[in-house]
Every structure is written in C-alpha cells, then in structure tokens.
Amino acid sequence: PGSRTWKAARAAFPRLLSFVERGGRLVVLYHKDTEFNLDAAGFVGAPYPLRVGKGRVTREDAPVEIIEAGHRLLNFPNKIQPEDWDGWVQERGLYFPEDYAPEYTQVIAMGDPGREKSRGALLYARHGNGDYIYCALALFRQLDSLHPGACRIFANLVSR
C-alpha cells in the first residue's frame, strides 16, 4: 500500500497547488530530495522552481538569522522572539532547498557554526491568491516535545 499511496499523493499534488492559487495556504514541511525533486520523485511540489538538497543544521543551538523581521510568518498570531529558538532538541533543520526561484522570500537563515548558512530554512511565496510555505525546520521533533517556541512558529505557519 505504501507505494500506491505515494503515487496517489504525487498525482493529487496539482490540486493542492490549485487550492493555493485560489486563495489557500499550503505549508510543506521538509522532504528528502528523493521525495521532492522532480527528477527523483516525478512530480512538481511547488508553484515555482525549488530544488531540495541534503543540507542539514545538526546543532540544536545553531544561530538563527532573521532575514525578514517584519514578515507575517514571524509576527502573526505570535511574535517570534530569540528565546523561541532556545532549547530545541537534536537539530534545527534538514533537507534545505539548494536552488529556488526569486518568487520565494527568504524569511530565516541558519547554519552550523563554521559552516555556510542556508537562507532557505523558511521560504514563502504568493501564488495566485494564496500562500505557499516551504519549511525545512525540524518542527516535528520540537512539537513532539511540546516546545513552546516551535508551537508558536507552527501556529504562525498555519494561520492566515
């Protein structure tokens, strides 16, 4: 059943992009490059070109750079503060986008100390009347431990 499920999900993805175009919000949490990239996965998972790589930020205390402090994703319904990044477990993020179209706004950047920062940790794009968000943050680990900052970030991602 797993293979059929993936094929059905990939085949249905254009409907999700149409939902965004008509005014919906789609939040795509990180995907492995083999699950997401057109050449490997065989489907288009974003409204504009976006290629996922293998990059990760493995230090849970890696510095987070706010690129767009005024961006709605960092301010509604919660104002994301520096302390919201404190106390994360295991890692900050994984499978960061390597290449993406200029239609995406880079909201935050991060990188392990001594390594180049990824500016694609959180990407936002308007598509038609809606919003497309690609989130490479390891939110699933933080939400599993009910990390308050991660809960605030997730609420912002899904709130219009």
Side-chain angles (χ1 to χ4, degrees), residues 16 27 57 62 65 102 158 160:
L16 290 173
V27 178
V57 176
E65 176 188 342
V158 299
R160 291 225 44 206

Side-chain angles (χ1 to χ4, degrees), residues 72-152:
R72 188 169 177 86
L73 292 179
L74 299 177
N75 291 285
F76 179 82
N78 304 292
K79 174 120 178 89
I80 303 305
Q81 304 288 340
E83 57 270 16
D84 288 320
W85 303 100
D86 294 343
W88 281 44
V89 295
Q90 191 168 343
E91 59 197 338
R92 287 273 195 223
L94 55 167
Y95 299 106
F96 291 89
E98 287 181 345
D99 300 308
Y100 39 89
E103 285 85 356
Y104 295 101
T105 299
Q106 303 166 337
V107 181
I108 60 173
M110 60 182 58
D112 284 322
R115 313 268 327 230
E116 186 177 341
K117 287 184 182 175
S118 170
R119 297 179 66 83
L122 183 59
L123 297 175
Y124 170 87
R126 272 304 272 178
H127 179 58
N129 293 317
D131 308 306
Y132 178 92
I133 300 163
Y134 185 90
C135 178
L137 302 173
L139 286 177
F140 69 100
R141 294 193 197 288
Q142 315 324 311
L143 294 173
D144 191 45
S145 64
L146 298 177
H147 183 282
C151 291
R152 284 188 282 276

